[in-house]
Amino acid sequence: MDLAIALDSNSALPLHQQLYQELRQAILSGRLSPERRVPSTRSLAQSLGVSRTTVTQSYEQLLSEGYLTTIVGSGTFVCAQLPDDLLHSTPIESSQITRPPIKLNRYGAGLAQIENVPKITEPDAPINFRYGRPAFDQFPLKLWRRLLSRYFYCNLSWLDYSTEPLGYKPLREAIARYLSTSRAVKCEPNQVLIVNGTQQALDLIVRLLIEPGDVIALEDPGYMSARLIFQSQGAQLLPITVDSSGLIVKELVYASQPIPLVYVTPSHQFPTGAILSLPRRLELLAWAQQTGGLIIEDDYDSEYRYGDRPIPALQGLDRSDSVLYIGTFSKVLFPGLRIGYLVLPKSLVSLFARAKWLSDRHLPLLEQQVLADFIAEGHLERHIRKMRSLYERRCQVLVKALNVHFGQRATILGEKAGIHLMVKLHSYLNDEEIIQRAAQMGVGMMSAKLQYLKPNNTGEFIFGYGELSDQQLVEGIRRLAQILVL
């Protein structure tokens, strides 16, 4: 082949890659014209003084990218149509396209019609009061790694499909025992459906139980992501007021329309932190029994309760199979685990298992196996006891810092549970101005405004403290007090 090919044995680039680049450039420049035969790997290797393997690797890359083609019995040739020609081909003018718009189904159309979908942008700051994050540095990594290796190296069943539509049975057994002990939930392992988190549980519930136009009652303020899932299915949303004792059940009782479903966070209302009192729990269960309505109980961080004894879960008090109970390990372990659970009335188990199986088959088995052992061997309860003590101290540090620097100029809500507070800052500044001023001082804040369905007064912020040290909590509030004129 009469081509000038320069290879540099001292270059950091391997010889086969240098040769590939030289040949590709020769093809693109026309020095190697389309349909021209190229030398055999043996002859080119001899002429360049390199190994045949070097030439073979270069040819294989050019073949895979569509620059060369092989004809059996004839040799290797430059392709008649190069991939670069296709990239530079003349596109069809949009005016020539007559294809009708893609038709969406009912779910897609409903999702498209949700206007002004709020977007929560997490702040990026050295001291970040973002909510929902546990203390990652306190997670028992060595123990988790040991449990992982137990299955990773010795038992390869996790490489295969799972044949259990409800999820890994030992994990469901461990969760059922744990819920019975810690939350007084009454369930058998075959009532536990393993899901990849709260979002999937909510999606399954509304897809199977709600028709477009049905009314779903929910706390206001409340969990925005749940609200969006309900809206995507065409549900009508009925906001129910929350006070210091949680959801005001009387607003449900006196509602003018039938309510097939109500969504609540009774153990630590999001975002206010209110705890649904025992009388209201009983009142809510009585409403469900009398009307035939169902209750979604999102028990997202019920493990962390400070000072008082935990109130039993709604599900444990229920006598009429009215509660669908959702839990997750995102707050007690780590969000990346993506394992949650849905405890169902027995009459719904088969239907939900079928829907889950059709939507994503199963969660990764390895993580389920490790989590099952983590719970069964008592590690989860020990970890929760340790973290409850840590978070209670951090909560106290945050509350004290707010009282010292703000006093009566801040109203604190939700300090008896969870890993976040909601704080009302009494200021003439709007939320955006407060967030911007805080960011300038290296403090990340998140407004509670987006969690409201009905228009809301400004000045309420969610302060997550799970991942912040005592020093960061104190310093963050000190900086915030400096920049706010209250």
Side-chain angles (χ1 to χ4, degrees):
M1 182 171 61
D2 188 18
L3 283 175
I5 295 178
L7 302 180
D8 182 3
S9 59
N10 296 318
S11 172
L13 196 66
L15 287 175
H16 75 273
Q17 195 65 27
Q18 294 182 49
L19 180 57
Y20 157 78
Q21 291 182 354
E22 289 281 331
L23 290 172
R24 179 176 178 275
Q25 186 56 41
I27 293 170
L28 293 176
S29 66
R31 288 185 293 152
L32 278 175
S33 57
E35 301 184 345
R36 177 176 172 180
R37 189 176 186 277
V38 297
S40 67
T41 55
R42 185 185 303 277
S43 63
L44 184 57
Q46 290 176 346
S47 68
L48 294 176
V50 297
S51 70
R52 188 177 179 184
T53 301
T54 296
V55 180
T56 300
Q57 287 180 298
S58 304
Y59 275 21
E60 286 177 349
Q61 186 169 352
L62 291 165
L63 284 163
S64 67
E65 293 179 4
Y67 292 98
L68 296 181
T69 185
T70 299
I71 300 176
V72 178
S74 299
T76 303
F77 299 81
V78 177
C79 286
Q81 175 113 47
L82 302 180
D84 299 70
D85 296 336
L86 298 174
L87 289 175
H88 295 94
S89 61
T90 303
I92 300 174
E93 294 294 333
S94 58
S95 60
Q96 301 175 18
I97 300 175
T98 58
R99 191 189 188 287
I102 296 174
K103 184 179 179 180
L104 300 175
N105 68 1
R106 186 175 64 186
Y107 172 75
L111 195 62
Q113 288 173 5
I114 298 177
E115 297 180 357
N116 302 320
V117 176
K119 295 180 180 179
I120 296 180
T121 303
E122 289 193 355
D124 183 14
I127 301 176
N128 198 335
F129 286 107
R130 59 188 174 179
Y131 58 84
R133 300 299 184 96
F136 295 123
D137 61 339
Q138 298 297 314
F139 183 74
L141 284 172
K142 290 183 179 179
L143 170 62
W144 191 263
R145 188 181 299 117
R146 178 166 60 81
L147 295 176
L148 268 173
S149 61
R150 178 183 295 174
Y151 292 95
F152 189 87
Y153 296 107
C154 304
N155 185 339
L156 299 182
S157 63
W158 58 272
L159 290 169
D160 200 0
Y161 283 110
S162 170
T163 58
E164 300 177 279
L166 289 173
Y168 183 53
K169 185 176 181 180
L171 176 57
R172 292 186 283 112
E173 293 171 340
I175 289 173
R177 288 193 298 269
Y178 164 71
L179 291 177
S180 174
T181 302
S182 65
R183 300 295 297 125
V185 169
K186 296 178 298 184
C187 70
E188 301 171 3
N190 62 7
Q191 290 177 257
V192 178
L193 174 65
I194 305 300
V195 294
N196 64 25
T198 300
Q199 303 300 114
Q200 185 178 44
L202 291 172
D203 182 66
L204 285 170
I205 290 170
V206 295
R207 281 198 289 122
L208 293 174
L209 302 180
I210 292 297
E211 293 286 354
D214 284 352
V215 175
I216 298 180
L218 68 170
E219 303 156 326
D220 194 36
Y223 184 37
M224 183 190 68
S225 295
R227 185 174 83 223
L228 295 176
I229 290 175
F230 301 153
Q231 288 179 310
S232 72
Q233 292 293 337
Q236 296 184 46
L237 304 185
L238 176 65
I240 304 295
T241 309
V242 172
D243 63 13
S244 59
S245 296
L247 183 87
I248 299 178
V249 182
K250 283 185 172 54
E251 293 187 15
L252 282 176
V253 175
Y254 298 134
S256 59
Q257 63 268 64
I259 302 172
L261 201 63
V262 58
Y263 170 79
V264 291
T265 52
S267 297
H268 188 226
Q269 199 279 328
F270 186 83
T272 69
I275 297 168
L276 190 66
S277 65
L278 183 56
R280 288 204 184 163
R281 290 174 188 242
L282 297 176
E283 187 182 3
L284 180 58
L285 289 169
W287 167 86
Q289 184 173 6
Q290 293 165 9
T291 65
L294 292 172
I295 302 166
I296 303 174
E297 179 179 12
D298 185 350
D299 220 22
Y300 69 99
D301 65 0
S302 61
E303 292 82 2
Y304 302 128
R305 170 84 180 225
Y306 315 127
D308 302 326
R309 290 177 59 84
I311 299 176
L314 277 169
Q315 197 273 358
L317 300 170
D318 182 26
R319 298 292 182 271
S320 59
D321 281 346
S322 300
V323 178
L324 293 83
Y325 181 92
I326 299 174
T328 175
F329 294 99
S330 294
K331 307 295 186 298
V332 295
L333 296 179
F334 55 94
L337 183 59
R338 303 315 306 148
I339 294 181
Y341 47 90
L342 174 58
V343 178
L344 294 158
K346 291 181 179 180
S347 61
L348 294 177
V349 170
S350 177
L351 175 65
F352 273 75
R354 189 178 306 169
K356 170 70 167 55
W357 181 252
L358 289 173
S359 66
D360 72 352
R361 283 295 188 268
H362 63 91
L363 297 175
L365 184 59
L366 180 61
E367 285 84 348
Q368 294 184 76
Q369 292 172 325
V370 173
L371 181 56
D373 286 359
F374 191 81
I375 299 172
E377 295 175 11
H379 305 303
L380 177 63
E381 292 190 32
R382 284 191 290 274
H383 181 65
I384 288 174
R385 286 195 297 270
K386 170 188 171 184
M387 301 311 293
R388 185 185 292 124
S389 176
L390 174 68
Y391 293 146
E392 182 176 12
R393 190 190 75 237
R394 289 183 176 177
C395 180
Q396 292 171 351
V397 168
L398 178 56
V399 169
K400 181 178 178 181
L402 286 164
N403 287 331
V404 167
H405 291 285
F406 290 92
Q408 297 299 315
R409 300 170 299 175
T411 302
I412 302 171
L413 301 171
E415 70 270 25
K416 292 185 178 180
I419 54 176
H420 78 265
L421 302 172
M422 191 165 90
V423 181
K424 170 74 173 180
L425 298 176
H426 305 291
S427 170
Y428 72 90
L429 299 172
N430 63 40
D431 290 11
E432 290 71 24
E433 290 173 323
I434 292 174
I435 290 172
Q436 289 175 4
R437 290 193 182 192
Q440 292 171 0
M441 293 292 289
V443 177
M445 296 180 63
M446 300 186 75
S447 170
K449 184 189 301 184
L450 294 178
Q451 311 303 330
Y452 281 85
L453 186 57
K454 294 182 292 188
N456 157 53
N457 295 326
T458 60
E460 292 177 341
F461 293 88
I462 304 172
F463 283 77
Y465 53 81
E467 63 180 337
L468 296 177
S469 67
D470 294 0
Q471 294 76 14
Q472 288 176 313
L473 292 167
V474 172
E475 177 62 17
I477 298 303
R478 187 192 68 80
R479 293 185 191 181
L480 187 60
Q482 280 186 334
I483 61 177
L484 288 183
V485 181
L486 301 175

